[in-house]
Amino acid sequence: RICISKMAEKKVEYSDARSHPLYKKLSAINSQVVRLRSDQVRDKLKELFLNDRGSDTIVCKRYKQQLRRTIIESDPSPPPELARHLTTNPLGLHYLLIIDFEATCEAVNPTDYIHEIIEFPVLLFNMKTKEIEDEFHSYCKPRLNQRLSDFCVHLTGIQQSQVDVAPHFRQVFQLFTDWMEQKRLGSEYNFSLLTDCPWDIRNCLFPQCALAGVTFPNYASKWIDIRKLFSNFYQTHGGNLSYMLTELGMEFEGREHCGLDDAKNIARIMSQLLSDGCVLQYN
């Protein structure tokens, strides 16, 4: 009877998730890491064969996350709210479609200015390998602002001759849809769009579909914002692509504001986020 009573008491104790012993162990991690100098944290990461590049904020988060994961994995029955931190992909995605549109623009855009997509790059990012598996890329010929401004050419590197011979958005979008079908995206494989801030969806894709008479795709109604993920996970203030790369100890590869190169650098950041234990969530 006494044994049964003790078991019942133990069960009641654990029925309150926050009373689980794991929480006490995890709370000790912060004080443990705070006492370390940044160079000591980097040495700890090297001992674990983990990336030690990045700002002090980044490497501390990386080390804390690794300690948290080790502690949670060591428990045979962690609370569900802690166990979910063991997976970075609770959405069950097979792929991310990384997009970074380039669009028509002026040095100073009028209030009623409509941005038209002139570069349509998409990278197929494999969630299992954390690598780029394939890509779709096309330039688009604008309808409203057929002549690119000098500012736009200088910013994006896209030449007038490239858009002059390119198909219009409606054709490009159909080619992209065909490419998605060939990759069995949405039929056999789950996916989500990944962008650097909402601009690509709200200011580019949505108005462009309306302008071209193309039905706005359901899969674009929600997406993953890497800038938001980065800020929330590493507990840093919001920053652009260059800021995120710098914080991770990386340098931009390629040409900035080239849509395809921007997307490739977003993929590099995404790969590190997943390696560091960031949990994917929709915007």
Side-chain angles (χ1 to χ4, degrees):
R1 290 179 180 176
I2 294 175
C3 292
I4 293 173
S5 176
K6 286 184 176 179
M7 288 177 65
E9 287 175 6
K10 189 173 183 180
K11 185 175 182 180
V12 171
E13 180 187 355
Y14 283 76
S15 67
D16 177 6
R18 287 288 171 177
S19 66
H20 195 288
L22 271 181
Y23 282 96
K24 184 176 289 187
K25 293 179 181 179
L26 293 174
S27 66
I29 289 177
N30 286 331
S31 57
Q32 177 184 341
V33 176
V34 166
R35 288 195 295 267
L36 297 174
R37 299 190 309 270
S38 61
D39 61 307
Q40 292 176 314
V41 173
R42 294 175 196 277
D43 288 341
K44 294 286 187 183
L45 288 170
K46 289 177 183 177
E47 291 172 7
L48 295 170
F49 301 101
L50 295 175
N51 184 2
D52 68 318
R53 293 183 304 164
S55 67
D56 291 349
T57 300
I58 297 293
V59 295
C60 282
K61 175 66 177 184
R62 185 174 297 144
Y63 184 49
K64 284 181 186 178
Q65 197 69 14
Q66 180 61 32
L67 293 179
R68 285 174 58 87
R69 185 179 186 88
T70 301
I71 289 173
I72 296 172
E73 286 179 336
S74 68
D75 193 286
S77 56
E81 61 271 19
L82 291 181
R84 65 185 177 86
H85 289 288
L86 296 177
T87 176
T88 58
N89 185 18
L91 303 177
L93 301 174
H94 297 103
Y95 291 100
L96 294 173
L97 292 185
I98 304 175
I99 61 174
D100 194 277
F101 299 127
E102 297 301 326
T104 56
C105 55
E106 303 289 341
V108 178
N109 294 316
T111 54
D112 60 346
Y113 189 85
I114 298 177
H115 296 281
E116 294 179 86
I117 295 173
I118 53 176
E119 185 183 6
F120 197 123
V122 184
L123 300 180
L124 185 65
F125 183 91
N126 189 309
M127 282 295 298
K128 182 177 291 186
T129 64
K130 303 186 186 74
E131 294 180 352
I132 298 169
E133 188 173 301
D134 201 357
E135 68 180 52
F136 173 89
H137 182 268
S138 179
Y139 292 107
C140 301
K141 185 176 184 178
R143 291 184 181 275
L144 299 180
N145 302 286
Q146 297 183 15
R147 196 75 192 168
L148 301 182
S149 67
D150 291 339
F151 174 81
C152 184
V153 172
H154 177 74
L155 178 69
T156 65
I158 299 172
Q159 303 301 309
Q160 185 66 46
S161 58
Q162 291 175 295
V163 296
D164 283 344
V165 297
H168 288 292
F169 174 82
R170 188 182 186 91
Q171 297 166 279
V172 172
F173 193 76
Q174 184 58 57
L175 291 172
F176 171 60
T177 301
D178 294 342
W179 177 81
M180 289 180 64
E181 290 178 356
Q182 291 171 8
K183 299 297 178 183
R184 293 173 288 179
L185 298 172
S187 56
E188 185 173 340
Y189 300 113
N190 296 327
F191 72 94
S192 172
L193 298 184
L194 174 70
T195 69
D196 173 26
C197 84
W199 190 84
D200 295 273
I201 305 296
R202 295 177 183 171
N203 296 73
C204 286
L205 186 59
F206 187 79
Q208 182 70 74
C209 284
L211 181 65
V214 172
T215 302
F216 185 74
N218 288 331
Y219 59 75
S221 60
K222 58 182 179 180
W223 67 93
I224 296 172
D225 182 343
I226 195 169
R227 195 177 298 193
K228 191 172 181 180
L229 274 185
F230 188 98
S231 177
N232 290 340
F233 180 68
Y234 293 118
Q235 293 298 293
T236 63
H237 62 77
N240 59 18
L241 186 54
S242 295
Y243 168 81
M244 290 187 283
L245 289 168
T246 300
E247 281 291 293
L248 290 172
M250 300 179 181
E251 293 184 358
F252 191 95
E253 295 181 356
R255 186 194 191 285
E256 290 190 54
H257 300 297
C258 162
L260 189 58
D261 286 346
D262 284 353
K264 289 178 180 179
N265 282 280
I266 292 172
R268 294 170 63 211
I269 295 170
M270 188 71 252
S271 181
Q272 189 61 59
L273 273 166
L274 292 172
S275 295
D276 287 348
C278 179
V279 178
L280 290 185
Q281 55 186 330
Y282 290 116
N283 184 34

